[in-house]
Amino acid sequence: MNTNMERFTSETSFADFPSANNQDMVIVGKKRNGDLWHLVVDGHGRNIVIDKLREMNYLDVMEAENPVDIIYDEIAKIADTFGSGATISVVIISDEKISCYWRGDSTIKVWKGDNEIFASENHDDDNESEVKRMSDRGVSTQASWAPKIISSTNLTMVQKKYFILDEKGATGVKDRVNMTNCLGHNNKTGGETSEHHINIVPGFTYTMVVGSDGLWDVIAPEDNLLAYDTATQMGEHSLMRWEQEWNYEYPGSETTISKLGSRDDICVALWKGGVMDMAAD
């Protein structure tokens, strides 16, 4: 609970850059006790799940101790979400702590001053414990390729995995997804909501960024996200990256120049704030 709000400085912004798919959503708000909340969801496949998420009353949902579990249970009530899903990331900020909850790969990052102190571990094939969990459940995989940014001008291709969650016997259509945990897909990803809590130390400035993979997938290692004052500026940076020409590097072949394919939706919420140090008064 915010008990020292007069000492709590805070700036929040959010931005949405939809593509033709228009399956992302970002919302920010305030709980009854004054705590700030930030929600990012990234829909995929059929629009059943994202449409339901857009209908929900988040003013009530965010009052729960773990709002992601409440939202998960609501989506689980839908009769058939074969081929339809969404990531979800929620960040709740009080004058005492930053609380992060997520399912999927809409990454959350937090900086204390200039130092990155937290990045949410995505639920995907780069997460060894999640890959093992899916394997233990008998979930098969399908190999694929995806671009990986290695600098502000260069990228390469890396192998990735799709997880086969279900199959319609009559047609052979597979319900596959490139992550290990998310909403929808008839609840067949399983798994739990991940969470992480960061205590706010008075006297420091904190920065929190939560965004869909349309934001993060084109961020280069040398990019300084702390240089951006608003979510719009940050989203415009990723939009520029989606539209630029890249040097494609392939081991054993010549580098070629090309643009990425059709861009992804981009949504992002940015918070900067902290608590004044009482000793400084």
Side-chain angles (χ1 to χ4, degrees), residues 18-19 29 45 81 105 112 114 156-157 169 176 179 191 202 225 231 255 276:
S19 69
T81 54
D105 62 1
K112 180 181 178 183
D114 295 333
T156 189
M157 299 294 288
R176 67 174 200 164
M179 62 193 75
L225 296 186
T255 298
M276 294 172 55

Side-chain angles (χ1 to χ4, degrees), residues 7-266:
R7 299 180 179 275
F8 184 65
T9 61
S10 176
E11 294 182 8
T12 294
S13 60
F14 63 98
D16 186 12
F17 297 81
S19 69
N21 292 329
N22 192 22
Q23 291 184 308
D24 282 7
M25 180 176 73
V26 55
I27 308 175
V28 302
K30 185 178 289 187
K31 295 176 64 173
R32 297 185 184 101
N33 67 356
D35 293 353
L36 307 172
W37 56 263
H38 311 73
L39 166 72
V40 163
V41 297
D42 181 356
H44 53 259
R46 297 190 296 159
N47 286 331
I48 296 169
V49 171
I50 188 63
D51 286 348
K52 176 63 177 178
L53 289 167
R54 286 176 171 145
E55 296 173 356
M56 295 182 65
N57 180 354
Y58 293 102
L59 293 178
D60 290 336
V61 169
M62 291 300 168
E63 295 298 323
E65 182 176 353
N66 185 333
V68 171
D69 284 349
I70 301 297
I71 296 166
Y72 181 90
D73 290 344
E74 283 299 308
I75 298 300
K77 295 176 183 177
I78 301 174
D80 181 15
T81 54
F82 184 100
S84 179
T87 70
I88 180 167
S89 293
V90 171
V91 182
I92 299 175
I93 301 174
S94 71
D95 63 342
E96 298 176 345
K97 64 181 178 179
I98 302 169
S99 296
C100 308
Y101 308 87
W102 71 96
R103 286 178 180 260
D105 62 1
S106 293
T107 306
I108 306 164
K109 290 192 176 186
V110 178
W111 289 258
K112 180 181 178 183
D114 295 333
N115 299 314
E116 183 181 311
I117 60 171
F118 173 70
S120 57
E121 189 173 13
N122 290 337
H123 299 134
D124 59 19
D125 64 343
D126 290 327
N127 187 323
E128 292 183 4
S129 63
E130 278 290 284
V131 171
K132 182 179 185 305
R133 181 179 67 82
M134 297 298 267
S135 177
D136 290 346
R137 296 174 62 237
V139 176
S140 61
T141 61
Q142 184 177 30
S144 183
W145 290 86
K148 180 179 179 179
I149 306 302
I150 55 179
S151 75
S152 61
T153 57
N154 292 32
L155 59 77
T156 189
M157 299 294 288
V158 295
Q159 284 194 313
K160 300 294 289 181
K161 292 178 182 177
Y162 277 91
F163 297 87
I164 311 301
L165 303 176
D166 200 0
E167 182 175 350
K168 290 187 175 179
T171 62
V173 175
K174 293 180 173 61
D175 187 2
R176 67 174 200 164
V177 64
N178 63 347
M179 62 193 75
T180 59
N181 188 347
C182 63
L183 306 176
H185 298 281
N186 291 325
N187 315 312
K188 292 198 173 182
T189 63
E192 303 292 334
T193 299
S194 292
E195 62 181 274
H196 184 78
H197 304 273
I198 301 162
N199 291 326
I200 292 178
V201 179
F204 289 89
T205 298
Y206 291 80
T207 301
M208 184 283 301
V209 178
V210 54
S212 62
D213 60 355
L215 175 87
W216 296 110
D217 282 354
V218 288
I219 297 294
E222 66 267 31
D223 287 339
N224 177 19
L225 296 186
L226 297 179
Y228 297 102
D229 295 323
T230 68
T232 296
Q233 293 173 354
M234 200 171 290
E236 287 174 342
H237 173 82
S238 285
L239 183 61
M240 174 192 68
R241 287 282 171 78
W242 279 101
E243 295 174 346
Q244 77 179 45
E245 290 188 332
W246 294 87
N247 298 316
Y248 274 76
E249 295 184 6
Y250 298 98
S253 63
E254 292 186 3
T255 298
T256 60
I257 299 176
S258 180
K259 290 187 175 183
L260 288 164
S262 57
R263 77 168 179 88
D264 202 355
D265 298 315
I266 301 168

